[in-house]
Amino acid sequence: MRLGTIRHDGRTVAVRDEGEAVVLLDAPDVGTLLATDDWAERAATHDGPRLPAAGLTFDAPVPQPGAVFCVGLNYRTHIEESGEQVPAYPTLFGKLARTLIGPHDDIQLPAGEDRLVDWEAELVVVVGRAVRHADPATAAAAIAGFTVGNDISVRDYQRRTSQWLQGKCFEATTPVGPWLRTVDETGPAPDLAISCAVDGDVKQASRTSDLLFGPAELVGYLSRIVTLRPGDLIFTGTPGGVGQSRTPAEFLHAGSIVETTIEGIGSLRNTCVPAA
Amino acid sequence: MRLGTIRHDGRTVAVRDEGEAVVLLDAPDVGTLLATDDWAERAATHDGPRLPAAGLTFDAPVPQPGAVFCVGLNYRTHIEESGEQVPAYPTLFGKLARTLIGPHDDIQLPAGEDRLVDWEAELVVVVGRAVRHADPATAAAAIAGFTVGNDISVRDYQRRTSQWLQGKCFEATTPVGPWLRTVDETGPAPDLAISCAVDGDVKQASRTSDLLFGPAELVGYLSRIVTLRPGDLIFTGTPGGVGQSRTPAEFLHAGSIVETTIEGIGSLRNTCVPAA
């Protein structure tokens, strides 16, 4: 099952994918839906009004997650291109929920002088139930499913200090969506093609099975630190091929079109525009 | 004026300090109050029921901030003890809102083997209005006031990777409060004594005027990255005297009592307990 959040009649509403149509669910967004214990059954069986799939406008599936975790250096190819050692622990950093945008919204380039704006295609775990100190089976069962994200990064800010946060939370820079594909269809450790293309040129192409720390392992690790809650997002890291590691380095500019795709889950398509 | 959030009759309510008593305001917490344009006038003039100050139970003033920013290496004394250079930019990292606890709540030590849990007394900026691309005057005017925080840090997790987040967001480790003191009384760059004592022994003692990047400068810097919103918190950094930099190193254990005080704003008093 694929679930999304659309913008409709001046509000948002959660929907279920039915191919040529979507079914409107009785929740304002997928995050709100996930906060109910029986969300999977409700989402699968609810018989609401339908809308044709063509022409819908999507928001991020969970527009206001309570937490957005990110993992750095988690694909072997990206670890190699960054000149780093294979890590013993996941490198975790945070992102602000308010930086998220919908899967077809414009990416706002930072204002002022030309910044070094880069792409990072990512498989995103969506948490489906509250979990703390989870063993591997409980951690896997806490995954609602997966969506597609791009952790657009402002490299010059990211490198200003030892901590990456300031390059990772610029306004309106993090597209997510359009679909949450549920874990019963993907399994907790999916092996899917992941790619990022800029202006039609494929820059990243890998498989999600190349992840060093897999989805359930990340849920378990984080749950030993803090309670994970329904709707929390975990950006699992990006494969090799980011702009700053290319020769010569490449970055995004006004008009650049970024397409981020994970097989069987969905695609983001975002245009870079100067900040409002 | 000092504002706080108390736990009362199974809910929370914002209050104004009147010395021997508090006045109950018409908002469930200070964060909700700050989201209204005329909060300062409402808070100053509202004439609600009173409760005696003795015996109140406080929550964090803003129990659910939309964002919690932290600044590392921002007191000259702490930069020196860490062996770091004076930085050109603020070192920013994030914290989860869900790690916050009230000013007298227990600090939960991480479960399992003995962890290296340390103290970091901090002046905390509370944002009072939405602000983006703020010039210095606008940034100063966006500060609602200041509260007291302790960025309790799990050093072994913090040092596991290059990114500090995982040592900074353990469940129930971040006391904040009890009072938000409004900026009209402190000014935007207060010069106040700040201290942290463990079991009655003063470990940190400095003045908030030793901050390298001051409150308004931090608001302005962050606002060029992302919109700040009412209720957002900025932990401005800690002075010298943290446990890991002492000889020999010292850490917190079950039963340790941590007292964190900023002159004229208030005091935290928290007991360390093993995680539930």
Side-chain angles (χ1 to χ4, degrees):
Chain A
M1 162 169 75
R2 296 201 306 180
L3 304 172
T5 298
I6 64 166
R7 298 175 185 141
H8 180 62
D9 281 349
R11 59 192 178 96
T12 64
V13 58
V15 298
R16 181 177 73 236
D17 177 29
E18 300 258 305
E20 298 295 299
V22 297
V23 174
L24 274 58
L25 305 178
D26 55 348
D29 58 67
V30 174
T32 307
L33 180 72
L34 293 176
T36 58
D37 283 340
D38 58 343
W39 67 263
E41 194 188 333
R42 280 177 62 205
T45 59
H46 186 78
D47 190 21
R50 277 154 199 268
L51 288 175
L56 294 178
T57 304
F58 284 84
D59 204 334
V62 183
Q64 295 293 331
V68 185
F69 299 97
C70 300
V71 186
L73 305 171
N74 202 22
Y75 280 84
R76 288 168 208 279
T77 49
H78 184 53
I79 294 166
E80 283 163 17
E81 77 180 359
S82 303
E84 303 280 349
Q85 301 298 307
V86 173
Y89 302 104
T91 300
L92 301 172
F93 60 95
K95 195 181 252 303
L96 289 187
R98 72 186 62 160
T99 68
L100 302 190
I101 58 176
H104 310 121
D105 291 346
D106 292 340
I107 294 166
Q108 278 187 33
L109 298 173
E113 64 216 278
D114 220 21
R115 305 253 73 107
L116 307 181
V117 183
D118 202 349
W119 52 85
E120 293 198 354
E122 308 214 7
L123 176 72
V124 179
V125 176
V126 183
V127 174
R129 64 173 74 158
V131 66
R132 176 87 167 118
H133 293 304
D135 60 32
T138 308
I143 297 172
F146 299 94
T147 187
V148 183
N150 200 313
D151 176 22
I152 298 288
S153 301
V154 182
R155 299 296 187 197
D156 46 336
Y157 269 72
Q158 184 183 345
R159 304 292 180 214
R160 280 185 168 183
T161 72
S162 69
Q163 300 302 298
W164 302 340
L165 181 83
Q166 61 190 282
K168 299 287 193 171
C169 64
F170 269 81
E171 189 98 352
T173 51
T174 311
V176 183
W179 299 112
L180 160 65
R181 184 149 191 190
T182 51
V183 71
D184 56 303
E185 294 181 352
T186 61
D191 175 21
L192 302 169
I194 178 171
S195 66
C196 180
V198 178
D199 297 331
D201 233 2
V202 176
K203 304 295 187 185
Q204 298 181 286
S206 186
R207 296 194 69 82
T208 58
S209 52
D210 189 40
L211 280 175
L212 194 62
F213 301 99
E217 196 172 353
L218 292 170
V219 168
Y221 189 88
L222 280 163
S223 81
R224 290 191 285 281
I225 297 172
V226 72
T227 303
L228 297 183
R229 296 180 185 166
D232 284 353
L233 303 182
I234 307 169
F235 281 65
T236 59
T238 201
V242 301
Q244 71 170 359
S245 298
R246 307 180 81 84
T247 310
E250 298 171 28
F251 298 101
L252 299 171
H253 302 286
S256 298
I257 294 172
V258 183
E259 290 172 288
T260 314
T261 299
I262 301 178
E263 176 192 358
I265 300 182
S267 287
L268 312 171
R269 183 187 163 93
N270 307 91
T271 302
C272 298
V273 302
Chain B
M1 165 168 72
R2 297 202 305 181
L3 303 173
T5 298
I6 64 166
R7 299 175 184 140
H8 180 62
D9 281 349
R11 59 191 178 95
T12 64
V13 58
V15 298
R16 182 177 73 236
D17 177 28
E18 301 257 304
E20 299 295 299
V22 297
V23 174
L24 273 58
L25 305 178
D26 56 347
D29 59 65
V30 174
T32 308
L33 179 72
L34 293 176
T36 57
D37 284 340
D38 59 344
W39 67 264
E41 194 189 334
R42 281 177 61 204
T45 59
H46 185 78
D47 190 20
R50 278 155 199 267
L51 288 174
L56 295 177
T57 304
F58 283 84
D59 205 334
V62 184
Q64 295 292 332
V68 184
F69 299 97
C70 300
V71 186
L73 304 171
N74 201 21
Y75 280 84
R76 288 169 208 278
T77 50
H78 184 52
I79 294 167
E80 283 164 18
E81 76 179 0
S82 302
E84 302 282 347
Q85 301 297 310
V86 173
Y89 301 104
T91 300
L92 301 172
F93 59 96
K95 194 180 252 303
L96 288 186
R98 72 186 62 160
T99 69
L100 302 190
I101 58 177
H104 311 120
D105 290 347
D106 291 340
I107 294 167
Q108 277 187 33
L109 299 173
E113 63 215 278
D114 220 21
R115 305 253 73 107
L116 308 181
V117 182
D118 203 350
W119 52 85
E120 294 198 352
E122 309 214 4
L123 176 73
V124 179
V125 176
V126 183
V127 174
R129 64 173 72 159
V131 67
R132 177 86 167 119
H133 294 303
D135 60 32
T138 308
I143 297 173
F146 298 94
T147 187
V148 183
N150 200 313
D151 176 22
I152 298 289
S153 301
V154 181
R155 299 296 186 197
D156 46 336
Y157 269 72
Q158 184 183 345
R159 304 292 179 215
R160 279 186 169 182
T161 72
S162 70
Q163 301 301 299
W164 303 339
L165 181 82
Q166 61 189 282
K168 299 286 194 172
C169 63
F170 270 80
E171 189 98 353
T173 51
T174 312
V176 184
W179 299 111
L180 160 65
R181 184 149 191 190
T182 51
V183 71
D184 57 303
E185 295 181 352
T186 61
D191 175 20
L192 302 169
I194 178 171
S195 67
C196 180
V198 178
D199 297 332
D201 232 4
V202 176
K203 304 295 187 183
Q204 298 181 284
S206 185
R207 297 194 68 81
T208 58
S209 52
D210 188 39
L211 279 175
L212 193 62
F213 300 99
E217 195 171 354
L218 292 170
V219 168
Y221 189 88
L222 281 163
S223 81
R224 290 190 285 281
I225 296 172
V226 71
T227 303
L228 296 183
R229 296 181 185 166
D232 285 354
L233 303 183
I234 307 170
F235 281 65
T236 58
T238 201
V242 300
Q244 71 170 0
S245 298
R246 306 180 81 84
T247 310
E250 298 172 28
F251 297 101
L252 300 171
H253 301 287
S256 298
I257 295 172
V258 183
E259 291 172 289
T260 315
T261 300
I262 301 178
E263 176 192 0
I265 300 182
S267 287
L268 312 171
R269 181 187 163 92
N270 306 91
T271 302
C272 297
V273 301

